[in-house]
Amino acid sequence: MTEIVKIHIINIDFLGNIFCVFLLLPVIVVEEYMNKFSEDKYISKQIVKRLPRYYRFLGELKDKGVERISSTDLSTIMNVTASQIRQDLNKFGGFGQQGYGYNVNSLHKEIGRILGIDTPHNMVMIGAGNLCKAIMHYRSFPRYGFHIIGAFDICPEKIGTVINGITVMSMDELEPFIRTHKADIAVVTVPTSAATEVLERLSKTDIKGVWNFAHVDYTMPNNIQIENVHLSESLMILSYNIADVSKGN
């Protein structure tokens, strides 16, 4: 007899986390969509977190030459119910036509506008360790308009080294660089002990969003969005699911 084994998967979506930097609060969602189409002005965090998945799957369909798709077919691909897809998209105007479905190219473009990636974003890395190097070598960022333009560290041994074509600079140059190069996203990969000081410095710059990998839950001023990412928490969830299956639940 063949034994059926359940395997749990935790999917980590780097791009989804970056998108959430700008969409964590309802006020950040593109207002023209809200004012024009939705009587309910509130957009939940769960809807926001699903938008990057819609964008990614629609992009894959577009690359395959698919011109239109129904909510039912899209739900099968994404493992989300068709009614959930319709409810989510109706918050921004619906975009679909009864009996036709969704135009893949048009919907992909509109979700891109809602996510704010129709305009390029300049990113700076703070903390030039191994995690920084991994993020800087992630090839999909430029495709979605996220461009890493600078990297900074306090360690003399790292300053002047080159990561994926970018020379690591001293932290003394951070604020002038952000101002001169119009960087709008900061990616923080420093140790916990240095995180608070770095985040306080960023709060006084023109940065619009922070992707924080330091093990600190920090609150930025209202004009700066922050996404705190704890990789160990995903592993803990995976560990729980494995243990839960082992108990026969």
Side-chain angles (χ1 to χ4, degrees):
M1 180 180 294
T2 302
E3 181 181 1
I4 298 176
V5 179
K6 285 186 176 180
I7 299 177
H8 287 274
I9 299 175
I10 300 294
N11 295 307
I12 306 295
D13 188 348
F14 272 178
L15 289 170
N17 277 295
I18 291 187
F19 294 150
C20 284
V21 168
F22 293 99
L23 293 172
L24 278 174
L25 299 176
V27 70
I28 302 302
V29 178
V30 178
E31 291 184 358
E32 64 180 277
Y33 284 91
M34 302 306 301
N35 294 333
K36 185 175 181 180
F37 295 116
S38 178
E39 294 180 0
D40 180 3
K41 297 294 189 291
Y42 180 75
I43 301 296
S44 74
K45 292 181 181 179
Q46 294 307 312
I47 293 177
V48 168
K49 289 182 177 180
R50 284 192 289 270
L51 286 177
R53 291 193 70 228
Y54 292 138
Y55 188 81
R56 175 161 53 88
F57 278 100
L58 287 165
E60 292 173 359
L61 290 169
K62 188 176 75 166
D63 290 343
K64 293 176 182 177
V66 178
E67 294 183 1
R68 65 175 179 171
I69 190 168
S70 67
S71 58
T72 301
D73 289 340
L74 188 56
S75 72
T76 301
I77 298 170
M78 295 186 59
N79 197 28
V80 178
T81 66
S83 62
Q84 183 68 75
I85 291 173
R86 289 192 294 270
Q87 288 175 29
D88 288 351
L89 297 181
N90 281 339
K91 286 283 187 178
F92 303 96
F95 306 117
Q97 299 177 20
Q98 189 170 6
Y100 177 88
Y102 299 104
N103 180 293
V104 170
N105 184 59
S106 175
L107 182 57
H108 183 255
K109 185 181 296 184
E110 291 299 325
I111 291 179
R113 288 182 61 193
I114 294 169
L115 288 168
I117 58 174
D118 54 333
T119 301
H121 296 288
N122 291 328
M123 301 165 59
V124 293
M125 307 294 303
I126 304 175
N130 291 330
L131 181 55
C132 169
K133 292 176 183 177
I135 293 173
M136 290 182 70
H137 282 90
Y138 189 67
R139 295 181 179 179
S140 292
F141 287 149
R143 176 184 178 187
Y144 295 100
F146 297 99
H147 303 282
I148 299 174
I149 61 171
F152 300 84
D153 203 286
I154 199 171
C155 180
E157 290 78 13
K158 293 178 181 177
I159 296 170
T161 60
V162 178
I163 305 174
N164 200 22
I166 293 178
T167 302
V168 178
M169 292 174 279
S170 167
M171 284 293 291
D172 294 337
E173 303 177 68
L174 177 64
E175 286 86 351
F177 185 92
I178 289 173
R179 183 171 56 253
T180 302
H181 293 81
K182 296 183 172 23
D184 55 1
I185 298 177
V187 184
V188 178
T189 59
V190 300
T192 304
S193 58
T196 299
E197 180 183 350
V198 168
L199 291 165
E200 285 179 354
R201 286 178 63 175
L202 288 172
S203 70
K204 300 172 184 176
T205 69
D206 294 330
I207 284 290
K208 296 178 182 177
V210 176
W211 200 20
N212 176 35
F213 285 89
H215 199 65
V216 173
D217 285 326
Y218 192 85
T219 302
M220 299 294 281
N222 289 336
N223 61 316
I224 301 176
Q225 304 307 308
I226 185 168
E227 174 78 354
N228 296 303
V229 181
H230 300 298
L231 296 178
S232 59
E233 291 182 4
S234 290
L235 276 176
M236 291 178 193
I237 294 171
L238 180 60
S239 176
Y240 169 82
N241 289 334
I242 293 171
D244 197 42
V245 169
S246 300
K247 294 174 184 176
N249 295 333

